[in-house]
Amino acid sequence: MPLQPLLHDLVPTLAAPTSALSGADGQIRASGVQGVFHADCRVLSLAVLRLDGREPEPIGHAAAGPGATRFVSLARWLGNPGPDPTVRIDRVRRVRAGAVDEEITIVSTADVPVTTTVTIDTASDLAPIEMVKSGNIGRGDDDFGRGPAFEQGVGDVGQRGDGVGGVEVRIEGDLDRRVTIPPRGRVTLRWALTVRDPAAVMLAGPRGDFARPAVRAADHRLTRLLDQSLDDLAALRLTTAIDDGDTFLGAGVPWYLTLFGRDSLWAARMMLPLGTDLALGTLRALARRQGTKLDPETGEAPGKIMHELRRDDVSVEGRLPAVYYGTIDATLLWISLLHDAWRWGHDPAEIAELLPALEAALGWLADHADPDGDGFLEYLDPTGRGLANQGWKDSHDAVRFHDGRIADAPIALAEVQGYAYRAAQDGAALLDAFGRPGGSLWRAYADALAARFRGAFWVDGGRYPALALDRDKQPVDALTSNIGHLLGTGILNADEEARVAAALGSAEMSGGYGLRTMSAGDGGFAPLSYHCGSIWAHDTAIVAAGLARAGFPAEAGRLIDGLLGAGEAFGFRLPELYGGDSRTEISRPMPYPASCHPQAWSAAAAVLVLQAWLGLDPDVPAGVVRVRPLPDAPTVTGLRIAGHPVDFANGTLTGLPPGFSIQEAVESDRQAGTLEDFADAEQDAGHEGDPVE
């Protein structure tokens, strides 16, 4: 059985929609998921550098700025004899949309001339991303293999086998050169790849779209994490030919470098402290593709926001439709992002232009989100060819009972009910503010949903809400991170938020480097399960922000400290997910071997952590900004509220437009202490592997 190729240890270089994935030595080998990808097509499957027919010995690599990576290696068989290497190779790879350039500098500190033949073997298979992900490439049952080689310094390739059609690839430069490096001198060689892909759906997004604040923090992990995250987020910007320059974030490298409803919405929502233009670009791009009809094959329904967008010129068995709507939460998240962009001060005229799409989205919530009429939102893939699970935990085995049994669909997820409550309230606020009818009806809907939720979801004697309701309306009683998404939605009262905070703050949930997706005391728990025990950066940040806003700084601080520790372990580029092992048993988080990086919502999690630390909650239409910082809050220059640059220092926000008032929350008894205290409290919490009493 073919296995999805591992990619946690590959080095990405990115300028969406183009990305290069190589080994840590800089070599791109004809195996796994290595290669240069452009718009869901692998346009280069081999790029191996040799000197005199031998591969140089790698010693390290480092980022060389946005869209660039430097790989350093040695040729110890050249130059002076002795223990110190005298011939070093610096290979700098730069990626632009539709192009890759490499500059190879051979530096000699030898006292004699060094002569060598430099070659770069290249090949292209034009494999669609779905085939690469399946693990079938190179197994003998496909027509890809190495693909055509490029020779004599210049090469072109068109369609090959079952590859993506219409793609033209050209490579030129120093692919075979004999050079002499003078004593203590250097020689620089260059080669470049360019791609022409007329059928590509994804195009490079325009520059801009969010600010880049300056941050000073006592914990330097935060500043380094933000720096790398903002570089990655800039590189993930995309648009399409029909989106008139509107920019959104591609979900992640390599599998998800396209428009995703849920992922792109969450990432844009996390980025609101840096400006609202990215949010509006994302909202408009998704509104242009909003559902208009019922289609079981694609999951489309009137008013529904799509799940993902792919190119339509690829035919791969088992592939989802090019425009796929199999998501239960993207429509709700779209409504709340529109509301939040308005609250952060986006131009009301541009918000008003999206009110018809808002009303259509609310129509989906009223008419199509609850097919069995039980008062809860649920999903079921009727075709058997779409996603079996359609919340953010969309793997087939993500919804499990405490004893490990997999729940049967239809599934009503806990967090989705919270999203629906929040979307109804947010939609009502927008309808009222812009003089549209229906606000009171949606507030009544939210109140009724909260009452139903209170009666159906709480388990374990009322200690925490269930993960979901299954086909038989039975609570799926595993303790999971899903319930953390309820914080801040309004569906919980203060007492219920306290119970959720206590459950999530337990060692079984918060004992790793962040928040586990499932409690270590549940039967389905495994530290390297995709959704049943691993840790996701965006999930942890969302819950930490909810805890901070609800007044639980210790629990929030513990999760933030875990994220910063993970960021440091992964070179300050938070991957899609990583292992949920205990911090008391292992000194650094273990990689999830098929984890994408960079990932939009993992990178944007750093911005949400910053917002949660500062406790910023603006309501620009009301002229109010609420501030509730956590201990040791950083100093930040260049945030954006209502389009104005604002600064935060010593608990004070400055730079707001005239007429705004600042409301500072009263510090609660729970808020004493520092981030280090929260981390120490975690160490004292005990061994989380013990069963939950």
Side-chain angles (χ1 to χ4, degrees):
M1 178 180 177
L3 298 174
Q4 180 177 324
L6 305 185
L7 52 87
H8 68 282
D9 58 349
L10 298 185
V11 179
T13 311
L14 168 70
T18 307
S19 61
L21 285 161
S22 74
D25 57 359
Q27 304 283 41
I28 295 174
R29 305 179 190 279
S31 63
V33 67
Q34 297 192 34
V36 174
F37 295 84
H38 177 79
D40 282 351
C41 172
R42 181 159 63 184
V43 296
L44 188 74
S45 53
L46 182 75
V48 174
L49 168 69
R50 292 184 174 90
L51 276 68
D52 298 328
R54 300 171 63 175
E55 292 190 36
E57 298 171 290
I59 61 172
H61 65 88
T69 307
R70 180 186 301 273
F71 301 91
V72 180
S73 56
L74 306 173
R76 290 190 295 162
W77 64 91
L78 298 174
N80 292 345
D84 290 340
T86 56
V87 177
R88 161 178 165 154
I89 301 96
D90 278 28
R91 183 178 187 177
V92 179
R93 176 173 298 141
R94 294 183 176 87
V95 176
R96 296 173 288 114
V100 177
D101 306 303
E102 283 199 359
E103 183 177 88
I104 299 165
T105 301
I106 306 172
V107 182
S108 173
T109 57
D111 53 14
V112 295
V114 172
T115 298
T116 185
T117 299
V118 181
T119 58
I120 302 171
D121 294 333
T122 61
S124 176
D125 60 9
L126 295 184
I129 192 78
E130 293 89 349
M131 285 293 295
V132 179
K133 186 178 182 182
S134 72
N136 279 310
I137 301 297
R139 289 173 52 84
D141 51 0
D142 58 74
D143 193 29
F144 298 102
R146 270 181 56 121
F150 298 98
E151 299 176 353
Q152 308 303 323
V154 178
D156 295 281
V157 61
Q159 184 174 358
R160 173 178 171 80
D162 296 325
V164 177
V167 179
E168 298 176 7
V169 181
R170 182 176 178 84
I171 291 184
E172 52 190 338
D174 297 311
L175 301 185
D176 190 345
R177 282 278 303 275
R178 187 166 179 80
V179 298
T180 297
I181 304 99
R184 298 192 171 277
R186 65 181 58 208
V187 169
T188 298
L189 307 177
R190 296 176 177 85
W191 68 274
L193 171 148
T194 54
V195 183
R196 182 178 176 273
D197 185 3
V201 175
M202 293 297 127
L203 307 174
R207 293 188 177 275
D209 304 307
F210 57 84
R212 184 152 189 155
V215 178
R216 296 196 308 276
D219 192 330
H220 297 297
R221 296 177 300 175
L222 176 64
T223 57
R224 294 193 63 186
L225 181 62
L226 278 165
D227 284 344
Q228 182 61 58
S229 295
L230 293 175
D231 279 350
D232 288 339
L233 289 161
L236 286 165
R237 288 175 299 197
L238 288 167
T239 189
T240 77
I242 71 166
D243 281 309
D244 195 27
D246 284 328
T247 304
F248 49 84
L249 294 175
V253 176
W255 315 129
Y256 310 121
L257 201 49
T258 186
L259 175 63
F260 268 74
R262 177 189 308 116
D263 301 53
S264 299
L265 286 163
W266 261 125
R269 196 170 176 182
M270 295 176 182
M271 296 286 285
L272 284 170
L274 309 187
T276 56
D277 287 346
L278 179 67
L280 264 289
T282 305
L283 289 162
R284 285 192 287 248
L286 290 166
R288 290 186 184 98
R289 298 163 175 90
Q290 193 171 25
T292 59
K293 63 183 184 298
L294 287 172
D295 183 348
E297 287 294 322
T298 65
E300 183 178 358
K304 193 175 186 182
I305 297 298
M306 49 155 272
H307 175 59
E308 70 177 285
L309 176 66
R310 297 288 187 176
R311 61 192 304 152
D312 61 5
D313 60 343
V314 174
S315 178
V316 175
E317 185 178 355
R319 186 180 192 259
L320 293 173
V323 184
Y324 181 59
Y325 290 81
T327 167
I328 191 63
D329 53 11
T331 310
L332 311 171
L333 296 171
W334 188 97
I335 293 169
S336 289
L337 178 59
L338 181 66
H339 170 269
D340 289 0
W342 171 64
R343 292 249 310 195
W344 277 85
H346 196 82
D347 181 356
E350 293 192 354
I351 299 293
E353 291 173 358
L354 288 170
L355 291 179
L358 167 68
E359 291 170 328
L362 289 170
W364 171 83
L365 177 55
D367 299 334
H368 302 287
D370 177 17
D372 65 5
D374 69 341
F376 295 115
L377 286 73
E378 60 259 324
Y379 58 80
L380 172 69
D381 171 39
T383 69
R385 295 182 293 276
L387 292 174
N389 281 313
Q390 298 186 358
W392 85 260
K393 295 179 180 177
D394 57 3
S395 54
H396 76 282
D397 61 349
V399 183
R400 292 175 176 264
F401 288 87
H402 172 67
D403 62 10
R405 288 176 297 125
I406 297 175
D408 293 323
I411 298 293
L413 291 169
E415 79 274 17
V416 170
Q417 317 313 311
Y419 296 164
Y421 179 97
R422 170 84 192 269
Q425 296 281 20
D426 291 345
L430 287 167
L431 293 173
D432 288 351
F434 288 88
R436 310 286 269 248
S440 60
L441 294 175
W442 283 109
R443 278 187 288 275
Y445 169 93
D447 290 343
L449 178 58
R452 287 192 299 272
F453 183 89
R454 191 162 288 118
F457 270 80
W458 287 86
V459 296
D460 195 21
R463 189 164 76 94
Y464 60 87
L467 161 61
L469 302 182
D470 73 352
R471 176 185 60 192
D472 301 319
K473 310 304 177 186
Q474 294 301 304
V476 182
D477 57 348
L479 173 57
T480 65
S481 65
N482 299 59
I483 64 173
H485 291 231
L486 299 170
L487 298 167
T489 64
I491 200 170
L492 303 178
N493 61 34
D495 173 67
E496 291 165 343
E497 287 192 327
R499 281 184 271 163
V500 167
L504 296 177
S506 66
E508 288 80 14
M509 288 299 296
S510 295
Y513 290 84
L515 184 67
R516 292 183 174 118
T517 44
M518 178 176 283
S519 162
D522 278 288
F525 172 81
L528 290 178
S529 167
Y530 196 56
H531 287 132
C532 298
S534 61
I535 293 171
W536 290 62
H538 85 285
D539 186 38
T540 298
I542 289 167
V543 176
L547 287 165
R549 185 171 181 177
F552 299 95
E555 291 82 355
R558 188 175 302 131
L559 295 183
I560 291 171
D561 182 69
L563 269 186
L564 295 178
E568 185 174 37
F570 291 112
F572 296 100
R573 172 179 276 156
L574 283 169
E576 179 186 15
L577 71 157
Y578 47 91
D581 298 283
S582 167
R583 275 202 265 182
T584 63
E585 295 180 355
I586 193 166
S587 61
R588 56 168 292 161
M590 288 294 101
Y592 182 84
S595 182
C596 296
H597 58 290
Q599 189 89 349
W601 59 11
S602 292
V607 183
L608 183 56
V609 163
L610 177 64
Q611 181 191 348
W613 213 327
L614 303 182
L616 288 184
D617 180 21
D619 185 353
V620 170
V624 174
V625 179
R626 297 173 183 85
V627 181
R628 187 179 192 168
L630 296 174
D632 297 328
T635 297
V636 187
T637 302
L639 298 169
R640 292 289 186 274
I641 296 178
H644 289 255
V646 298
D647 305 330
F648 184 95
N650 301 317
T652 302
L653 193 65
T654 58
L656 287 169
F660 276 77
S661 64
I662 299 175
Q663 294 182 1
E664 297 184 7
V666 177
E667 184 174 325
S668 70
D669 293 338
R670 290 187 300 245
Q671 209 159 357
T674 67
L675 198 64
E676 287 77 12
D677 295 331
F678 302 150
D680 292 342
E682 164 58 31
Q683 295 298 323
D684 296 337
H687 189 285
E688 74 281 11
D690 297 332
V692 178
E693 296 294 337

